[in-house]
Amino acid sequence: MSEEWPKIKARNVTTISPWMDVIAREVEFAPGAKPEVYHAVGQRDYLAILARTPDGRIPLVRQYRPAMEGFTWELPAGLLEEGEDAAAAAARELLEETGYPARATHSLGAPASPCTGRLSNRVHSFFVETNEQIADFKPEPGLTVVLKTPAELVAMIKADEFVQQLHLGTLMMAGLKGFLKLPV
């Protein structure tokens, strides 16, 4: 039996916070080659949720992102908890962030890689049909929730106001699967 290359010769994980590890891997690319060190960020898997309300609008959230040092418009999203079912987690995150309970949750495919060069986690994307927003919903502090039509969302994308690539990929997958038609 032939051996496969490259090989991980060593792995060192440094926990930075409950949400992030730095992973250093020594990779040997050929027999006897000097191992090279590659770093990655380890996080729990992400969730990205494209939802449609009963009146056909799409909930978006605006929040301050310290990594960007500014506010962003995004789909509802979050992190998958240890041992949690991804579809159940998507419904949970959607309700927590927008106040919209899930009526039907549809996977948009196998979990995707957010950045194959630097991140070791996966993104689980879902299309969710919602019920009406729960009464007296109040968003988390610092979070703004708006509803946009597909045409309004396209205008935001074209104006560079909706720029989260993982969420743009979720929109694309929803279109390919027939859940969403964005006007050109």
Side-chain angles (χ1 to χ4, degrees), residues 136-150:
D136 301 324
F137 172 73
K138 299 225 184 313
E140 300 169 14
L143 196 72
T144 302
V145 179
V146 298
L147 298 176
K148 297 290 184 179
T149 65

Side-chain angles (χ1 to χ4, degrees), residues 33-175:
K34 180 181 177 193
E36 298 178 38
V37 178
Y38 289 82
H39 292 88
V41 175
Q43 294 181 303
R44 290 179 292 184
D45 282 3
Y46 297 147
L47 300 159
I49 305 121
L50 171 60
R52 183 175 54 212
T53 62
D55 66 0
R57 294 184 293 168
I58 299 166
L60 299 179
V61 295
R62 182 177 186 262
Q63 59 188 316
Y64 183 79
R65 292 295 194 180
M68 301 304 299
E69 297 185 12
F71 287 90
T72 62
W73 284 107
E74 303 174 9
L75 297 174
L79 295 174
L80 186 62
E81 299 294 335
E82 185 72 31
E84 189 176 22
D85 174 75
R92 173 185 54 76
E93 284 288 347
L94 179 66
L95 183 62
E96 287 174 5
E97 290 192 4
T98 69
Y100 283 92
R103 183 173 52 79
T105 303
H106 309 274
S107 172
L108 294 176
S113 298
C115 174
T116 58
R118 298 287 179 262
L119 301 174
S120 65
N121 64 338
R122 303 279 188 211
V123 179
H124 302 260
S125 295
F126 291 91
F127 177 77
V128 177
E129 300 168 68
T130 76
N131 286 317
E132 296 295 336
Q133 190 177 47
I134 59 173
D136 301 324
F137 172 73
K138 299 225 184 313
E140 300 169 14
L143 196 72
T144 302
V145 179
V146 298
L147 298 176
K148 297 290 184 179
T149 65
E152 290 169 329
L153 178 54
V154 167
M156 291 177 74
I157 294 168
K158 288 180 176 180
D160 298 325
E161 296 171 357
F162 186 94
V163 298
Q164 221 283 26
Q165 280 290 324
L166 299 177
H167 295 179
L168 292 168
T170 297
L171 293 172
M172 184 193 77
M173 290 303 297

